[in-house]
Amino acid sequence: MLGETAPSTQLVRRVNAGAMLKAMRGAGIVTGTELMARTGLSRATVISICDELVRLGWLQELENQRGAGEYIKGRPARRFVFDDGAASVLGIDIGANKITTIVADMAGTPLSQVTMPFRAYNTYNVSAAERADVLDKIAADALEKAGVPAESVLAVSVGVAAPVNRDGEVLTVQEFWQSFDVRRIVSERHGWHVLLENDANLAALAERWQGTAQGVDHLVVMLAGDRLGSGILESGRLLHGQSGGFGELGFLNNVEGVGSTYGIAHSAVSAGRQAIERQQDTIMAELCAGEPEDLTAEMVFEAAAQGDQAAVDALDSVALRMAKVIGAISTLANPELVVLAGGVAASAEVLLPTITKELPEFTFTPPRLATSTLGEGIVSLGAIRHALDYVEEHALDLSPASLPKRAS
């Protein structure tokens, strides 16, 4: 038992340090007494950890009020402030045809966001070398735009469209990732600590952090563009399953009336093309100049907004299909809220009334529905949250003081 004392004490100290950083981030100037109230820790623990966090570069101790000319009775309170600019983190979303990167300070405030496409737009034609080169270029551009040096980066979180287990490993080896070991490449080229996570899981973290799902503990966030993917939180905890596949939706192939994991954008185009083939006299046909193969999801939504009945009917069929999708997921996970996210989110708002109406036909536990307002950067934003969580958890080891010193 005695052998367990030191490790146990150190673990508790790490947890307490993380709690302190969480309480101080974005809080401005705080005193030891205020930190006691926010964390529930004793004064001795708070002051001891504050001293260590000052040494590690996380906090700055300010002159006490008496020294600053503000007279107070009794012993002056020690005052601390979290140094938002002490380091930075990167959030990267490797999509099918582009990469998006956000640089943020330690308060989670985005300092820059940059998106860069691959030269080849077919994912499976993009070589590992091109992916790596684009990733390097976009990271450098984002850091330059943010005005922070590469040496300030404490952690990088990367979102990928594949199942990722709790250890940050892609378990289901897909052709896209066989030649592209993201963690190894980024770590070797830059020396950064790299985390890997499923893109839909990161979208869920972002939505609960800064989106419409703030404060929601039982949550499903669906990336619903060309393909469907879901991140699921239960009691505020991100679920992975045994090997990272908890939010995978391959079972939809066997759901009657769904039949695939194609998302809203793909389904809207498919339904729109079928409508044009049946009836050429539609606004959709005008928008695509009579070439159904040139029809886009945006054109279908635009035609419906202009009152094109064929487009309205096409979107009703998409909404019915999504009701079946959400009904299946809700029966399994029983969330309070389902958020439709990704590039299609802004358009998908018009689908919600029909989905809401149809949903009780497909589940006994229909959730609330919403669309995300976080835009196409949602995965990168979730990656920022993921990186910050990791840094907080390892605050005593992964600190500004641990970064390489720049030459003056």
Side-chain angles (χ1 to χ4, degrees):
M1 293 294 293
L2 291 178
E4 297 179 2
T5 302
S8 298
T9 301
Q10 185 65 13
L11 176 60
V12 171
R13 193 165 184 80
R14 291 178 186 278
V15 172
N16 289 342
M20 292 272 287
L21 287 185
K22 192 180 294 292
M24 294 196 70
R25 185 147 32 96
I29 299 171
V30 295
T31 65
T33 300
E34 291 168 336
L35 286 171
M36 289 169 57
R38 293 178 185 182
T39 63
L41 300 175
S42 69
R43 178 175 295 278
T45 298
V46 165
I47 295 303
S48 173
I49 292 178
C50 276
D51 285 339
E52 187 163 8
L53 294 177
V54 168
R55 178 181 64 82
L56 292 173
W58 286 115
L59 307 183
Q60 295 177 2
E61 183 171 6
L62 306 179
E63 188 176 13
N64 66 53
Q65 289 172 298
R66 182 175 295 162
E70 300 177 28
Y71 177 78
I72 58 172
K73 295 182 179 180
R75 184 171 61 184
R78 297 178 65 182
R79 303 185 302 159
F80 303 91
V81 63
F82 180 75
D83 188 355
D84 295 349
S88 56
V89 292
L90 266 65
I92 301 175
D93 172 21
I94 302 180
N97 53 35
K98 62 186 177 182
I99 296 179
T100 299
T101 297
I102 293 176
V103 179
D105 63 18
M106 298 315 299
T109 303
L111 304 176
S112 69
Q113 179 172 329
V114 177
T115 297
M116 186 176 297
F118 297 122
R119 287 188 298 271
Y121 281 87
N122 185 330
T123 296
Y124 299 104
N125 291 334
V126 180
S127 68
E130 180 181 344
R131 297 172 200 161
D133 289 344
V134 171
L135 201 157
D136 278 351
K137 181 67 165 59
I138 194 174
D141 287 356
L143 287 167
E144 182 179 3
K145 185 177 179 181
V148 299
E151 294 82 3
S152 74
V153 175
L154 273 180
V156 178
S157 175
V158 181
V160 297
V164 179
N165 70 6
R166 293 182 183 87
D167 296 323
E169 299 169 337
V170 177
L171 263 290
T172 302
V173 180
Q174 300 174 348
E175 182 181 354
F176 183 82
W177 302 107
Q178 286 178 348
S179 61
F180 189 40
D181 186 342
V182 183
R183 290 201 299 179
R184 178 186 59 78
I185 290 172
V186 175
S187 180
E188 288 181 354
R189 292 191 179 193
H190 302 280
W192 296 328
H193 184 85
V194 182
L195 311 167
L196 205 63
E197 183 55 275
N198 173 262
D199 55 358
N201 285 347
L202 293 178
L205 294 181
E207 201 62 48
R208 189 169 186 267
W209 180 31
Q210 295 190 3
T212 57
Q214 293 180 55
V216 177
D217 288 337
H218 306 281
L219 171 68
V220 171
V221 174
M222 298 189 67
L223 293 178
D226 288 325
R227 292 278 183 175
L228 296 172
S230 67
I232 301 175
L233 276 75
E234 198 278 328
S235 298
R237 181 171 59 92
L238 191 62
L239 300 180
H240 288 86
Q242 178 183 358
S243 58
F246 192 84
E248 293 299 304
L249 301 178
F251 73 91
L252 293 175
N253 295 334
N254 300 315
V255 174
E256 185 177 356
V258 179
S260 70
T261 59
Y262 285 125
I264 290 173
H266 183 280
S267 299
V269 169
S270 178
R273 287 173 179 170
Q274 292 174 24
I276 292 174
E277 290 175 0
R278 292 192 301 268
Q279 177 186 349
Q280 283 288 326
D281 184 20
T282 68
I283 296 176
M284 288 186 292
E286 294 176 7
L287 292 174
C288 68
E291 300 292 340
E293 62 271 17
D294 293 334
L295 186 71
T296 65
E298 290 78 8
M299 293 175 185
V300 180
F301 281 102
E302 181 181 343
Q306 294 184 35
D308 183 353
Q309 190 59 49
V312 171
D313 292 342
L315 291 184
D316 280 345
S317 70
V318 173
L320 176 59
R321 180 175 181 273
M322 287 304 301
K324 295 176 181 179
V325 169
I326 295 171
I329 295 174
S330 298
T331 300
L332 170 68
N334 191 23
E336 173 188 344
L337 174 66
V338 172
V339 179
L340 300 180
V344 75
S347 299
E349 180 77 26
V350 301
L351 303 178
L352 295 190
T354 301
I355 297 175
T356 301
K357 176 184 175 182
E358 298 289 347
L359 195 52
E361 294 294 321
F362 306 109
T363 179
F364 291 115
T365 55
R368 292 191 293 115
L369 303 178
T371 54
S372 175
T373 59
L374 298 180
E376 294 191 42
I378 185 172
V379 174
S380 299
L381 187 62
I384 292 295
R385 178 69 267 172
H386 187 222
L388 289 173
D389 288 343
Y390 179 85
V391 169
E392 285 178 358
E393 184 179 348
H394 299 83
L396 299 184
D397 302 312
L398 201 63
S399 68
S402 72
L403 295 169
K405 298 297 185 290
R406 286 183 289 158
S408 56

